[in-house]
Amino acid sequence: MSQPCNYLEEYAKHFKLAGHIKLYHKVLNIERHSDYAKTGKWTVIVKDLKSGTQSTEVFDGVLLCTGHHTLPYWPKEWKGQREFKGKMMHAHSYKDYKGFDDKVVAVVGIGNSGGDIATELSKVAKQVYLVTRSGSWVFNRVFDYGRPIDSFLNSRFYAWLRTGLPPAIMEKAMQDQLNKRFDHALFGLKPKHAVFSAHPTINDELPNRIASGTIRVKPQIESFTENGLRFVDGTAVEHVDTVHENELDAYQFMYPSVLDHTTLGLIGLIQPYGSIMPIAEMQARVFCDVLSGGSKLPSKAERAAHIKETREHMQQRYSASRRHTIQVDYLLYMDQLAALINCLPPTWQSLLFSDPKLAFSTAFAPHASYFYRQRGPHAWSGAREAIMGIEDRIVQATDATAKGSAFNALKSQAMQEITMYIIFLVLLILALIH
């Protein structure tokens, strides 16, 4: 059993959730109850997959927790695609490398799934071609000093740098950092957009596989032939065995604007910079607290205005893509949700004299979900202890006796780059003044 699966089973056991979970049941239909206009209730039809029987139940609230990877999305058909004699499959159907030995494979798209599939297949396939329309900035999962990348990106200190410094300084520092690992232009991956104007690709092996020649980067497909592909730059691959290959009108990506009641919620229908699990937990906390009457959402007009404002901001920031309609920044989004149910963590400034150790961790440690359990509904008395031990747990994944420190976040190359640019900016200002 995998560790994540084991964790979920232990979690369900600890909180006695098993009795509330119906496995081998399929939801056939969800519709407004006859008195929905008054109560907001829902009628749900469920099929027991073992017995084949159907049942109908009425619920006060419904959460849709399918995320955005449940159904595969196929791009518009390319010229000659129907005449292609090789195998075509979606990444959604990919399980492992078996069956691809000594094959020539084209992986279309450089999202995280595409990058992972390409690197895995490059170890067994005859040749892998990675097809990308616009390129991508590639982050390592293992960041400076062996820290996970999100432990750096999801700290309060880094969030302050992102919003407090001139965008040009942050962009230059991040591009320099990423290009020091490998030159994105030389490897055919440098995009036209800024580092945080699109969802990045997280992959440690990709540059090594490109450098060794087992993966070759190609631009957008122009057309298919019977046995190969032609690309927009005029190049072609004559033999290919396999090709792999949404605006949301909802307040905080949770509450559909078309509904009069807030008794139906969407969980996980987002694409975050960072882990989705803490966000899904926070979404569930918001929904349950609002449903039980503990908190109240803004008015429908205010929610509609927020949806419009969010969409306009995303259109300005991100490159045009269907996946960027549900993109969120981990820390900002968590704070927005937390504010709805009054569980925002104390600021580091407010803790500076009363609890300096916690203040330091609040500023520099990665913001795990238990930061938001210090107060508000269902606060947890063990939150502080969990926060203070997060850095130890990061390093103890590889060394059980090691001790961690949030100060490690300040030692990264990116911090050195940013510090250099700040010093340069200060010196430039002083020179202009004199």
Side-chain angles (χ1 to χ4, degrees):
M1 183 186 297
S2 68
Q3 290 185 6
C5 182
N6 183 62
Y7 170 80
L8 293 175
E9 291 202 352
E10 289 296 318
Y11 184 96
K13 181 180 179 181
H14 178 80
F15 290 104
K16 299 178 175 61
L17 299 178
H20 304 281
I21 299 173
K22 292 185 177 180
L23 300 176
Y24 305 104
H25 283 67
K26 181 179 181 180
V27 176
L28 300 179
N29 189 46
I30 301 173
E31 61 183 27
R32 294 174 177 86
H33 189 256
S34 57
D35 64 353
Y36 170 83
K38 181 180 179 180
T39 65
K41 291 184 177 181
W42 296 88
T43 299
V44 182
I45 301 175
V46 179
K47 180 179 181 180
D48 186 325
L49 298 180
K50 287 187 174 180
S51 66
T53 58
Q54 293 185 18
S55 60
T56 301
E57 297 185 57
V58 178
F59 293 93
D60 295 314
V62 173
L63 284 172
L64 303 180
C65 308
T66 56
H68 66 283
H69 292 301
T70 305
L71 299 175
Y73 168 77
W74 287 90
K76 184 179 178 181
E77 190 173 285
W78 282 285
K79 179 182 176 182
Q81 182 173 322
R82 296 188 181 186
E83 286 70 49
F84 179 63
K85 293 182 178 180
K87 179 182 178 182
M88 292 192 65
M89 67 180 296
H90 196 281
H92 187 271
S93 303
Y94 180 84
K95 301 301 179 185
D96 56 39
Y97 62 87
K98 295 175 183 176
F100 293 94
D101 305 72
D102 206 34
K103 301 290 186 182
V104 178
V105 183
V107 178
V108 182
I110 195 174
N112 286 302
S113 295
D116 288 343
I117 291 172
T119 53
E120 180 170 273
L121 292 183
S122 68
K123 300 169 186 177
V124 298
K126 184 177 181 179
Q127 181 65 60
V128 173
Y129 294 94
L130 182 57
V131 181
T132 170
R133 180 177 68 248
S134 55
S136 179
W137 294 107
V138 181
F139 284 77
N140 279 39
R141 286 184 176 88
V142 181
F143 202 56
D144 292 341
Y145 297 92
R147 289 172 61 82
I149 180 65
D150 54 351
S151 70
F152 169 73
L153 296 179
N154 294 334
S155 67
R156 291 278 172 194
F157 180 69
Y158 182 74
W160 174 80
L161 291 175
R162 283 274 315 275
T163 57
L165 294 179
I169 290 180
M170 283 299 297
E171 181 65 25
K172 183 70 168 68
M174 290 308 300
Q175 286 198 23
D176 286 352
Q177 167 81 350
L178 296 176
N179 280 320
K180 279 181 179 179
R181 296 184 182 275
F182 74 94
D183 190 322
H184 283 60
L186 186 63
F187 280 58
L189 293 177
K190 185 177 180 179
K192 294 181 180 179
H193 58 73
V195 173
F196 292 106
S197 291
H199 195 75
T201 298
I202 312 294
N203 197 299
D204 293 282
E205 294 186 77
L206 185 58
N208 294 334
R209 308 311 295 180
I210 294 174
S212 66
T214 55
I215 293 178
R216 296 180 183 176
V217 178
K218 286 290 185 181
Q220 178 70 308
I221 295 173
E222 192 276 326
S223 64
F224 280 70
T225 63
E226 282 191 357
N227 299 300
L229 299 171
R230 299 193 183 281
F231 302 96
V232 294
D233 63 352
T235 61
V237 177
E238 299 302 334
H239 179 79
V240 175
D241 296 298
T242 308
V243 177
H244 285 269
E245 206 323 288
N246 68 131
E247 282 188 348
L248 179 62
D249 249 354
Y251 174 65
Q252 290 293 11
F253 304 99
M254 280 185 61
Y255 293 97
S257 61
V258 297
L259 299 178
D260 295 325
H261 293 277
T262 55
T263 55
L264 185 143
L266 309 174
I267 302 296
L269 193 56
I270 40 128
Q271 180 154 288
Y273 286 110
S275 174
I276 196 171
M277 299 300 285
I279 291 178
E281 179 198 19
M282 182 62 76
Q283 288 179 325
R285 289 180 68 187
V286 169
F287 181 84
C288 292
D289 200 58
V290 170
L291 184 66
S292 65
S295 302
K296 187 176 180 181
L297 296 179
S299 68
K300 190 170 184 179
E302 290 172 323
R303 297 198 301 269
H306 184 274
I307 293 172
K308 182 175 182 292
E309 181 183 346
T310 300
R311 180 176 298 138
E312 290 173 349
H313 169 74
M314 294 175 76
Q315 288 173 346
Q316 293 173 2
R317 173 177 172 180
Y318 295 109
S319 58
S321 170
R322 66 188 298 274
R323 65 177 177 164
H324 294 140
T325 60
I326 54 174
Q327 189 79 38
V328 297
D329 288 312
Y330 174 88
L331 199 55
L332 175 62
Y333 185 59
M334 287 284 280
D335 282 355
Q336 290 175 347
L337 294 179
L340 294 174
I341 59 173
N342 296 311
C343 70
L344 276 168
T347 63
W348 69 268
Q349 298 96 321
S350 68
L351 297 167
L352 196 56
F353 297 105
S354 61
D355 194 341
K357 289 184 177 180
L358 182 58
F360 190 81
S361 290
T362 300
F364 299 111
H367 253 56
S369 58
Y370 27 80
F371 272 94
Y372 298 90
R373 290 286 183 178
Q374 296 178 78
R375 55 190 180 188
H378 303 289
W380 178 37
S381 60
R384 184 188 184 279
E385 182 181 355
I387 292 169
M388 299 308 297
I390 187 171
E391 292 292 336
D392 288 344
R393 290 192 293 280
I394 289 175
V395 298
Q396 286 170 6
T398 54
D399 184 347
T401 62
K403 291 291 183 181
S405 169
F407 186 72
N408 290 336
L410 299 179
K411 297 195 299 182
S412 73
Q413 183 66 35
M415 289 297 99
Q416 296 172 26
E417 293 277 359
I418 292 167
T419 302
M420 180 186 70
Y421 287 119
I422 292 175
I423 293 173
F424 173 77
L425 186 62
V426 170
L427 292 175
L428 180 63
I429 292 172
L430 291 174
L432 291 174
I433 290 175
H434 294 288

